[in-house]
Amino acid sequence: MRDDDVLAAVRALTPALRERVAEAETLRRVPGASVEELEEAGFFRLLRPRAHGGLATGPDVFYAALLEIARACGSTGWAAAVLGVQPWHLALFDPRAQEDVWGTDDTARICSSHAPTGEVATVDGGFRLSGRWHLSAGCDHAGWALLGGLVTDGEGRPVDMRTFLVPRSDYRVDAVWDAVGLRGSGSNDVVVEDAFVPDHRTLGFGPVTALRCPGHEANPEPLYRLPYAAVFTTAISTAMVGIAEGAYDAYVTAVRERLGSSSGQRIAESPFAQVRVARAAGDIDASRLQLSRNTAELYAVARDGREPSTSLRARARRDQVLATERAIAAVDLLMENAGGSPMRGGADILQRAWRDLHTGRGQAANDVERGLLLFGQDALGITVHDPML
């Protein structure tokens, strides 16, 4: 299977994904058929290491496939972003953890919830984990979970932030997701009750940020020398840009023939509509182009065996949060010019995209102020201390 084969297969799936949009919203999770078709297309292998049957492709291929999915169905794109990026994260872990997941199940998928909302206790050989982790998109379709947690000292003070790899046998999914937007993403809660996690199934944020992970020796591909903060957050923003592109395409197609309710003239002839279309297209293009530029530069640095500068990392985060902001602004512009029709039911593509984008804005990766702050500090010569850089 080649990169081009996967992209072609994903594009061929998009009509079916569009047909299942309403089903996804009704189920409040991605339909099983969609996940299985993405599996068969090879999407979940794009960022998986070659040592475990993956393609370890360039990140641009993964993001291109993700755009196609999100354009067709925002909820499926969001869940695909999260599920699709986790093989990359697991590739940074101890090789024994990778073998635990893929050694006996070639199609094992991994969900995640990185906010440290659970309780962690240090014990011999590892940790004991308990608690509830929220907003784990696509978790119904995963056999493992990556969960964030704070390790504390004897007096309860945080000393380390780690990610814990937990099998489905050690957690349950609580179907609490019932949101206005991204309704079909299945962003449910993961609940763990006193599970033991061995040392080799954990990874600290320090080594990840420093690009010094135990999985690097086993997986020498340059893909795994990219900063976590860029790979994960760009996946989230790419899904949002894809949602905006799908909304833009649907809006332009509809408005070409739609008549204004008060004037009886074609809306397409209105100069105000024309200007809004131009502004929305410009925001979406700017988002996509900046994300692509930063991904290409980061990957080139990794291929050369170099480490990305703090300035490049900060720029990637700056453009990632701005891509989110622009995607939302573009669809807001179109909604303002769409009249009342999109608000009369949930079937309208533009309305759904508007709901999805404003819901996705709440994801921690899309914290615009935090992303811009990192860039501003670096640009002004202030040392940046942030695990999401």
Side-chain angles (χ1 to χ4, degrees):
M1 183 180 292
R2 301 176 306 169
D3 299 350
D4 290 345
D5 296 330
V6 176
L7 278 174
V10 167
R11 290 190 181 106
L13 288 178
T14 54
L17 299 181
R18 286 191 185 91
E19 290 177 1
R20 299 190 189 111
V21 167
E23 180 184 358
E25 292 213 328
T26 299
L27 294 173
R28 292 183 288 119
R29 66 177 183 274
V30 179
S34 296
V35 176
E36 292 306 315
E37 287 169 359
L38 288 171
E39 182 71 55
E40 293 172 8
F43 174 77
F44 297 114
R45 294 179 184 271
L46 287 173
L47 299 188
R48 188 191 298 185
R50 294 190 182 101
H52 290 284
L55 296 176
T57 186
D60 58 320
V61 179
F62 173 73
Y63 297 135
L66 184 55
L67 271 170
E68 296 290 342
I69 298 167
R71 287 178 66 177
C73 174
S75 289
T76 303
W78 187 270
V82 176
L83 293 176
V85 84
Q86 302 315 322
W88 178 90
H89 194 180
L90 182 58
L92 309 182
F93 276 65
D94 187 304
R96 290 174 293 173
Q98 300 171 48
E99 184 65 23
D100 289 345
V101 174
W102 292 312
T104 58
D105 185 358
D106 190 47
T107 62
R109 289 182 290 271
I110 312 155
C111 62
S112 67
S113 180
H114 293 289
T117 55
E119 297 181 0
V120 180
T122 304
V123 297
D124 289 341
F127 304 85
R128 298 211 73 88
L129 203 64
S130 296
R132 178 181 290 266
W133 282 259
H134 308 293
L135 306 173
S136 183
C139 58
D140 291 285
H141 304 290
W144 293 79
L146 288 170
L147 305 174
L150 290 174
V151 180
T152 58
D153 61 15
E155 298 181 1
R157 291 172 300 201
V159 295
D160 192 13
M161 171 76 172
R162 303 186 72 84
T163 302
F164 299 85
L165 176 65
V166 183
R168 183 65 177 259
S169 57
D170 285 347
Y171 69 85
R172 63 181 173 85
V173 173
D174 193 0
V176 297
W177 181 247
D178 189 9
V180 171
L182 296 172
R183 284 185 60 80
S185 65
S187 299
N188 290 307
D189 287 2
V190 170
V191 183
V192 179
E193 298 178 2
D194 194 30
F196 173 70
V197 183
D199 279 324
H200 74 272
R201 288 188 194 161
T202 74
L203 182 61
F205 262 67
V208 172
T209 303
L211 302 179
R212 300 285 187 276
C213 296
H216 282 152
E217 185 174 348
N219 302 310
E221 299 94 339
L223 173 67
Y224 306 109
R225 270 65 178 179
L226 298 173
Y228 168 87
V231 173
F232 179 79
T233 61
T234 299
I236 294 298
S237 286
T238 297
M240 295 191 73
V241 173
I243 294 170
E245 285 189 356
Y248 173 84
D249 291 343
Y251 173 86
V252 169
T253 299
V255 166
R256 281 173 179 163
E257 302 301 329
R258 184 177 296 168
L259 298 179
S261 58
S262 59
S263 66
Q265 296 180 333
R266 291 173 59 236
I267 296 176
E269 295 175 356
S270 165
F272 303 106
Q274 294 161 6
V275 169
R276 287 176 181 270
V277 164
R279 287 188 180 276
D283 280 340
I284 293 170
D285 283 352
S287 300
R288 186 168 183 172
L289 290 170
Q290 284 190 308
L291 292 176
S292 297
R293 178 191 67 167
N294 293 328
T295 296
E297 289 193 26
L298 285 166
Y299 194 48
V301 168
R303 287 200 311 269
D304 290 343
R306 296 179 287 121
E307 292 189 7
S309 65
T310 300
S311 295
L312 178 53
R313 291 183 183 218
R315 193 186 77 194
R317 286 285 281 123
R318 178 200 72 187
D319 293 344
Q320 172 260 317
V321 294
L322 288 178
T324 291
E325 190 173 64
R326 289 192 182 105
I328 296 171
V331 173
D332 282 350
L333 273 174
L334 300 180
M335 280 291 287
E336 290 169 7
N337 198 61
S341 296
M343 294 301 186
R344 292 189 299 193
D348 187 271
I349 295 173
L350 184 58
Q351 185 221 90
R352 183 179 291 113
W354 184 77
R355 290 189 282 112
D356 288 348
L357 288 169
H358 280 276
T359 300
R361 169 63 177 83
Q363 218 281 349
N366 293 326
D367 187 336
V368 176
E369 288 75 18
R370 180 180 181 182
L372 296 183
L373 185 69
L374 299 178
F375 180 87
Q377 289 175 338
D378 178 70
L380 295 173
I382 300 172
T383 301
V384 181
H385 298 287
D386 194 294
M388 285 306 290
L389 187 67

